[in-house]
Amino acid sequence: MDTRTPLATIVVAVDGPSGSGKSSVSRDVARTLGLRYLDTGAMYRAMTWWMLHNGIDVHDTDAVAAAADKPELVSGTDPDGPTIHADGVDVAGPIRGPEVTGAVSAVSAVPEVRARLVALQRAVIGDGGIVVEGRDIGTAVAPDAPVKLYLTASEAARAARRNAEGTDPARDLAATQADLARRDALDSGRATSPLSMAEGAALVDTTAMNREQVVAHVLGLVRDRLS
Ligand SMILES: Nc1ncnc2c1ncn2[C@@H]1O[C@H](COP(=O)(O)OP(=O)(O)OP(=O)(O)O)[C@@H](O)[C@H]1O
Ligand SMILES: Nc1ccn([C@H]2C[C@H](O)[C@@H](COP(=O)(O)O)O2)c(=O)n1
């Protein structure tokens, strides 16, 4: 069977733990190939921002479930400038703050939230031509994607990369590493669509690779599947 796919309809599914390089590598790959780019983590963060902004207790599963269909969430897919709006508000900045980061795993574990966002993600994917990154893209959102990747790196490497971003110079490496480990455990341990490597996915351990090397490797894997 010929499993090659035209570039215009390809779906590249990229999963992996926090800080493994999913967003940066996916954006570079999409930009290079002229594909769209979808950051599904930003959608879970925007949902979480909306819950906090509207006074919903993010640890009250019933309250989160009841509100899951309320926010209007719109994702822009230009890899040069991805956007995310909740009820018309540009939330790209606030969703990266500590309040949302601390609450997003709890909100993401609620099945009604996942069902809503998976439906939105599939609508954005449409006929393809896109790189989609998150935690469950190859396992749940687009299991038939022609290219499925699982990016990972050691916890120490991922923490060092996060700290090198310098957004919080006071933060020490051990605290960053502990936060990554906490979020990985919650994301891998939840009952619905836990973070795991999809069947047929290529494992890319980026611990000893720089960003350019990872992008070149991934571009090779994608080009192998193009018709
Ligand atoms: N191979 C690499 N070597 C060194 N630094 C890298 C590499 N890949 C990505 N980075 C850097 O590591 C940081 C984390 O990468 P990125 O945000 O892409 O990870 P992520 O998997 O999308 O994380 P999250 O799931 O938390 O959003 C960024 O500053 C990025 O530039
Ligand atoms: N497909 C996805 C994407 C993200 N999440 C959750 C789990 C993450 O901790 C959180 C934030 O994602 P990030 O911005 O760090 O990539 O969103 C998920 O459950 N499924």
Side-chain angles (χ1 to χ4, degrees), residues 30-69:
R31 200 179 284 124
T32 304
L33 295 174
L35 298 173
R36 297 179 295 138
Y37 159 73
L38 181 63
D39 176 357
T40 63
M43 299 172 78
Y44 284 93
R45 286 172 179 273
M47 176 70 85
T48 304
W49 175 88
W50 188 93
M51 298 278 170
L52 293 168
H53 188 71
N54 286 279
I56 291 163
D57 176 358
V58 295
H59 299 291
D60 179 342
T61 303
D62 291 339
V64 171
D69 64 347

Side-chain angles (χ1 to χ4, degrees), residues 5-179:
T5 308
L7 182 63
T9 60
I10 201 160
V11 176
V12 181
V14 184
D15 292 306
S18 299
S20 56
K22 299 180 301 294
S23 306
S24 43
V25 169
S26 296
R27 283 180 73 170
D28 287 352
V29 167
R31 200 179 284 124
T32 304
L33 295 174
L35 298 173
R36 297 179 295 138
Y37 159 73
L38 181 63
D39 176 357
T40 63
M43 299 172 78
Y44 284 93
R45 286 172 179 273
M47 176 70 85
T48 304
W49 175 88
W50 188 93
M51 298 278 170
L52 293 168
H53 188 71
N54 286 279
I56 291 163
D57 176 358
V58 295
H59 299 291
D60 179 342
T61 303
D62 291 339
V64 171
D69 64 347
K70 292 197 166 48
E72 185 202 24
L73 301 175
V74 179
S75 303
T77 58
D78 179 349
D80 286 324
T83 55
I84 180 82
H85 289 79
D87 286 354
V89 179
D90 177 354
V91 293
I95 64 169
R96 303 292 163 192
E99 211 190 347
V100 169
T101 299
V104 66
S105 291
V107 172
S108 311
V110 177
E112 288 79 357
V113 167
R114 302 204 73 80
R116 168 96 200 281
L117 294 188
V118 168
L120 284 178
Q121 289 154 17
R122 287 182 178 152
V124 173
I125 291 169
D127 294 330
I130 192 164
V131 182
V132 188
E133 55 101 352
R135 303 293 192 291
D136 62 342
I137 311 306
T139 53
V141 177
D144 296 330
V147 182
K148 294 192 269 189
L149 306 171
Y150 190 87
L151 253 57
T152 192
S154 71
E155 210 172 87
R158 292 187 285 122
R161 290 173 188 175
R162 274 271 171 261
N163 268 24
E165 290 171 348
T167 45
D168 181 0
R171 194 170 172 82
D172 70 27
L173 197 57
T176 303
Q177 194 164 327
D179 185 54

